């Protein structure tokens, strides 16, 4: 069996990393508009996930095509999962870059803006004060600048989620392909009774 060549997935992974990092920095620049508009925030997350999923699938398809249309499940999984790993690492990288280098007051400003928006929403919809306080108790600066251990835990959960998606995508990419990567050895003829 041929050795896995990470060149194609790393290329698509770097594209995903650059996209997510750029998106994170743009969301920081326009945070006053993004944080206060939950529909736009949801749309951005769905669009980002769709693009990264497309890049991961395309990485697996390109890897299969580069190997003559033959791919093993393990190679298909790695070709997809590597793109997701780059994506998963980009988000905490953007958070650390924003909070530790660009603007150390960002978490404070963003959390106060979010609390203000949520309190206005609760006032307009006559939500009881107890429920409003309960809903806003986790909206402190830690939401925008979580401790390193929480970021690592989130990264681990994200990678586990992406591993499941990678396995599903790899099963589709491998479908119709031989079980083994071509090794240059002629296969033996099939013996029949």
């Amino acid at each position: 069996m041929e050795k896995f060549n990470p060149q194609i997935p790393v290329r698509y992974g770097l594209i995903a990393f650059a996209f997510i990092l750029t998106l994170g920095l743009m969301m920081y620049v326009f945070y006053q508009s993004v944080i206060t508009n939950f529909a736009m925030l949801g749309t951005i997350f769905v669009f980002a996930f769709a693009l990264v999923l497309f890049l991961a699938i395309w990485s697996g398809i390109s890897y299969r095509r580069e190997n003559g249309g033959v791919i093993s499940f393990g190679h298909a999984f790695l070709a997809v999962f590597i793109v997701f790993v780059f994506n998963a690492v980009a988000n905490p990288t953007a958070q650390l870059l924003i909070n530790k280098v660009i603007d150390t007051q960002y978490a404070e400003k963003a959390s106060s803006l979010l609390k203000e928006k949520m309190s206005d929403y609760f006032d307009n919809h006559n939500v009881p004060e107890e429920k409003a306080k309960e809903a806003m108790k986790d909206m402190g600066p830690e939401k925008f600048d979580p401790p390193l251990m929480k970021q690592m835990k989130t990264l681990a959960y994200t990678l586990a989620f992406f591993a499941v998606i990678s396995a599903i995508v790899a099963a589709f990419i491998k479908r119709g392909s031989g079980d083994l990567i071509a090794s240059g050895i002629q296969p033996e003829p099939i013996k029949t009774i």
Side-chain angles (χ1 to χ4, degrees):
M1 183 146 92
E2 287 184 15
K3 186 178 174 184
F4 179 73
N5 181 6
Q7 184 178 8
I8 292 171
V10 167
R11 183 181 330 134
Y12 286 107
L14 288 173
I15 293 170
F17 181 86
F19 171 73
I20 296 300
L21 187 65
T22 304
L23 185 63
L25 293 174
M26 286 180 62
M27 287 176 64
Y28 159 70
V29 171
F30 300 108
Y31 79 93
Q32 291 178 341
S33 300
V34 173
I35 290 176
T36 57
N37 190 339
F38 299 123
M40 181 172 36
L41 192 60
T43 304
I44 290 170
F45 286 136
V46 168
F47 172 72
F49 180 74
L51 184 71
V52 171
L53 180 64
F54 171 77
L55 288 171
I57 292 170
W58 196 252
S59 171
I61 291 170
S62 298
Y63 190 89
R64 180 178 170 167
R65 187 176 44 220
E66 287 290 320
N67 289 297
V70 180
I71 193 168
S72 69
F73 177 80
H75 285 203
F77 176 81
L78 286 173
V80 173
F81 188 64
I82 287 172
V83 176
F84 283 132
V85 168
F86 276 92
N87 170 56
V89 170
N91 191 29
T93 302
Q95 277 186 337
L96 288 172
L97 187 63
I98 291 167
N99 290 313
K100 305 298 185 217
V101 177
I102 297 173
D103 186 359
T104 56
Q105 299 300 314
Y106 168 70
E108 300 281 338
K109 294 187 287 189
S111 66
S112 65
L113 182 65
L114 183 60
K115 282 181 182 178
E116 182 181 314
K117 173 70 175 174
M118 292 301 291
S119 64
D120 290 345
Y121 175 82
F122 291 144
D123 289 344
N124 291 339
H125 290 86
N126 298 324
V127 174
E129 190 174 329
E130 287 182 19
K131 286 186 179 182
K133 284 183 180 179
E134 180 68 27
M136 292 195 311
K137 74 176 182 175
D138 294 330
M139 294 186 187
E142 299 84 30
K143 182 171 181 66
F144 297 94
D145 188 14
L148 189 59
M149 286 307 296
K150 185 172 183 182
Q151 286 184 6
M152 291 299 132
K153 188 185 284 188
T154 303
L155 180 63
Y157 289 141
T158 303
L159 289 175
F161 172 73
F162 283 147
V164 171
I165 291 178
S166 296
I168 294 168
V169 171
F172 281 101
I173 291 172
K174 189 214 175 299
R175 190 179 54 170
S177 175
D179 286 337
L180 298 175
I181 303 274
S183 62
I185 299 173
Q186 292 294 330
E188 293 182 23
I190 299 173
K191 297 179 183 176
T192 58
I193 300 179

